[in-house]
Amino acid sequence: MERIAAMVMLSAGWRRLAIALAAGAFAALMLPPFGLFPAGFVSFSVLVWLIDGASGNPDRGVILRRWPSFLIGWTFGLGYFVASLWWTANALLVDADEFAWAVPLAAVGLPAYLAIYHGLAAALARMLWTDGFLRIVALAASFGLAEWLRGVVFTGFPWNAVGQGLTPFPLMMQSLALVGGHTMNMAAVFVFAAPALFASSRGRAAGLSLAALLFAAHLGYGGYALYIAPQPAQTDRVVRLVQPAISQADKLDDDQRAAVFQAHLDLTKAPPAEGGKAPRLIVWPETSVPFILTQSPDALALISDALEDGQILFAGAVRVEGGGAEERYYNSIYMIDSQGQIIGAADKVHLVPFGEFLPFEDFFRKLNLQAVAAMPGGFSAALQRGMLTLPDGFKLLPLICYEIIFPSEITAEGPDAPDVILNITNDEWFGVSPGPWQHFLQARLAAVETGLPVIRDANSGISAVIDPRGRVTAGLAFGAKGFIDTTIPAKIDTIVPKAYRTLLFGLLLLSSFLIVMLARMGFVFERN
């Protein structure tokens, strides 16, 4: 181990950058569709050794001295995000004549931006670097801060946070209910980087013991939550998930609008399986209605004909407000009763940058650019998140597409808390790629973190009902056309309220930085 560590630490030039790039790309194996979490032990150990050797010229200024460590972290992040997010470029090929030129920006430009956060984490950690295991603490805290920033700066894009590498299946998801996603990022980096200590003598026993204890506690609590603690009950509410598996090209083709709409109606009208109970709730995916529903009374009549008495449809659609120069478009969910009346609606709050709106719009409009999936003038964001409430008081929290990856923004406590998350999406934009599986994992993690079941309906998959432990109770495979009728699990109370999990993250972050700073000043010593 010492020989490998020395080789990595003493590497230079393009070989050093190649090692960092490869280590970051290898870390992507932790994520769906692979879920090989042991890859994290290799990648982050290599990152530690690379930072060990990233000593800047002491004659330079504070910033320039950190450039070698920033470059290593940025290159590591570039490998990680290119390998895990290359599929975002698929959305640009749906309308290749218009957007094919931007494929390199999606495949490499977006990862290059996101890698800045990894670069900053490495540079900050190097400022607090020690010879012993506290350098692992510095790295974990720095990544925890960087990943938090990545989730909030420019509306945030926390996709594929490093903590997700430690949560590939339900046994390893349950700790989220205790500590939350931000603390999980810190814990994951600490645990994954710990094997680097095998090549050290100072602090090796303490660091490896603490990492092993954290990992054992992570697995142990998962076993307790899944097999010993009380399990979520099933309600008597039956929901139908409609998965039409319509290609994105057909959805954008004006000549196919009637056929697209009819495909949803046919799956809605289909009888339940033999012996099955008729659903009271029916869900269509994001932008399933291929026209402005409020301008198509005949469409509402057809929906009424497709629904049985008492059934309620939740349909993804574009909602328009105002007219002329004041016309605004929203990515929305409509709640429609069996009489064809719209009895509720909720608009998307967290829009996708460059997908649904243009950040720095005035600048990009001058370059004649527009968002990929936007209406004329772009989508508008709702000012606040709405709730969809059934006549009997059952509350559904609507989250459209990637809004589900922000569980820290979901309020699941108090008298006005929702009973279930309703997540509709259209991952057909990304074809057969890791994207739909990564998105699906994040929906499962949101269920665990909030204690809420998730009804997830996707155009081409993966559609499923997920219980508050992150387990799939029923679902449809990716690419399958059809529907599934199933009951909705009940929500559970989270042991640690969200406010306490946020406080825990802040305290751990501050205490970690304080300890390593004291170590740098000689007030804290690391034993062999």
Side-chain angles (χ1 to χ4, degrees):
M1 186 73 79
E2 290 87 349
R3 183 178 300 178
I4 296 174
M7 182 195 70
V8 172
M9 186 172 62
L10 297 175
S11 61
W14 68 266
R15 290 181 179 84
R16 184 172 182 77
L17 296 180
I19 293 172
L21 189 72
F26 192 72
L29 293 175
M30 302 186 301
L31 304 169
F34 309 105
L36 300 176
F37 72 90
F41 293 111
V42 177
S43 294
F44 281 92
S45 294
V46 170
L47 179 60
V48 170
W49 296 329
L50 287 167
I51 298 175
D52 279 338
S55 55
N57 187 334
D59 295 329
R60 294 187 174 185
V62 174
I63 295 178
L64 290 179
R65 284 205 306 271
R66 307 306 167 200
W67 173 250
S69 52
F70 173 86
L71 184 59
I72 286 300
W74 181 85
T75 306
F76 178 92
L78 182 66
Y80 178 74
F81 289 116
V82 168
S84 65
L85 288 175
W86 59 266
W87 50 266
T88 58
N90 285 3
L92 301 171
L93 299 177
V94 173
D95 187 2
D97 291 342
E98 181 76 22
F99 295 108
W101 64 270
V103 165
L105 294 179
V108 180
L110 174 62
Y113 160 70
L114 297 175
I116 292 173
Y117 295 94
H118 285 195
L120 293 173
L124 177 59
R126 191 65 178 83
M127 291 176 63
L128 305 170
W129 215 240
T130 67
D131 293 333
F133 91 89
L134 287 181
R135 72 193 198 274
I136 309 299
V137 176
L139 188 67
S142 298
F143 262 89
L145 177 60
E147 289 286 57
W148 174 78
L149 287 172
R150 186 162 71 90
V152 298
V153 175
F154 299 136
T155 76
F157 191 77
W159 197 284
N160 289 350
V162 293
Q164 292 171 19
L166 206 57
T167 58
F169 43 80
L171 181 67
M172 297 177 69
M173 294 177 184
Q174 305 310 311
S175 298
L176 280 169
L178 295 180
V179 303
H182 298 316
T183 300
M184 185 63 71
N185 290 330
M186 290 180 60
V189 173
F190 183 84
V191 169
F192 285 144
L197 298 174
F198 280 113
S200 306
S201 57
R202 191 178 180 189
R204 175 168 57 191
L208 290 172
S209 297
L210 181 55
L213 180 63
L214 283 174
F215 190 63
H218 180 56
L219 295 178
Y221 181 73
Y224 166 78
L226 292 179
Y227 306 114
I228 299 176
Q231 298 303 301
Q234 288 288 333
T235 70
D236 59 358
R237 299 177 187 276
V238 179
V239 62
R240 170 170 294 187
L241 306 182
V242 170
Q243 184 171 295
I246 297 169
S247 73
Q248 192 58 33
D250 285 346
K251 286 176 68 68
L252 296 176
D253 187 343
D254 291 345
D255 295 334
Q256 294 295 319
R257 287 183 178 182
V260 167
F261 188 59
Q262 188 61 48
H264 289 83
L265 293 173
D266 291 343
L267 292 171
T268 299
K269 291 186 291 186
E274 186 175 352
K277 187 178 178 181
R280 307 315 297 168
L281 307 178
I282 297 171
V283 183
W284 290 3
E286 179 187 17
T287 58
S288 51
V289 180
F291 37 73
I292 304 300
L293 188 59
T294 53
Q295 298 175 359
S296 306
D298 291 344
L300 287 170
L302 290 172
I303 288 175
S304 176
D305 292 341
L307 297 177
E308 297 179 2
D309 288 344
Q311 286 184 327
I312 292 178
L313 171 68
F314 298 92
V318 174
R319 188 178 73 85
V320 64
E321 193 175 87
E326 301 298 320
E327 197 168 64
R328 300 170 71 88
Y329 295 91
Y330 297 87
N331 191 350
S332 305
I333 298 177
Y334 280 122
M335 184 164 68
I336 305 169
D337 67 13
S338 55
Q339 282 72 51
Q341 301 176 98
I342 297 174
I343 58 174
D347 302 323
K348 190 173 184 179
V349 174
H350 221 129
L351 301 179
V352 180
F354 298 101
E356 295 172 311
F357 80 102
L358 285 177
F360 313 110
E361 184 174 4
D362 291 342
F363 171 76
F364 285 110
R365 290 293 182 193
K366 291 177 182 178
L367 299 178
N368 199 31
L369 299 181
Q370 64 179 3
V372 176
M375 302 298 290
F379 279 111
S380 296
L383 297 179
Q384 61 183 11
R385 196 172 303 285
M387 193 85 73
L388 297 174
T389 305
L390 299 182
D392 63 0
F394 189 79
K395 298 182 179 68
L396 300 96
L397 178 67
L399 299 178
I400 300 175
C401 192
Y402 100 137
E403 288 186 310
I404 195 75
I405 76 172
F406 298 91
S408 61
E409 298 180 3
I410 299 171
T411 300
E413 300 152 2
D416 295 326
D419 296 291
V420 66
I421 294 172
L422 174 62
N423 177 220
I424 61 172
T425 187
N426 177 22
D427 292 345
E428 177 62 24
W429 281 99
F430 307 111
V432 182
S433 72
W437 280 268
Q438 292 173 6
H439 200 184
F440 184 58
L441 172 66
Q442 291 173 93
R444 299 175 73 181
L445 300 182
V448 176
E449 192 165 343
T450 61
L452 297 173
V454 174
I455 300 170
R456 186 178 195 269
D457 193 64
N459 170 45
S460 58
I462 304 166
S463 299
V465 171
I466 305 163
D467 81 357
R469 302 290 190 196
R471 295 171 294 202
V472 176
T473 62
L476 291 161
F478 179 81
K481 178 179 180 178
F483 67 88
I484 190 166
D485 298 335
T486 187
T487 55
I488 303 172
K491 65 180 179 180
I492 61 175
D493 293 327
T494 53
I495 296 176
V496 181
K498 184 177 75 170
Y500 289 178
R501 295 196 297 265
T502 302
L503 178 62
L504 173 65
F505 170 65
L507 291 175
L508 284 174
L509 198 63
L510 291 174
S511 60
S512 296
F513 282 132
L514 178 61
I515 289 171
V516 294
M517 283 191 291
L518 290 174
R520 288 278 295 181
M521 293 185 291
F523 293 105
V524 175
F525 299 95
E526 299 174 79
R527 296 181 180 273
N528 290 344

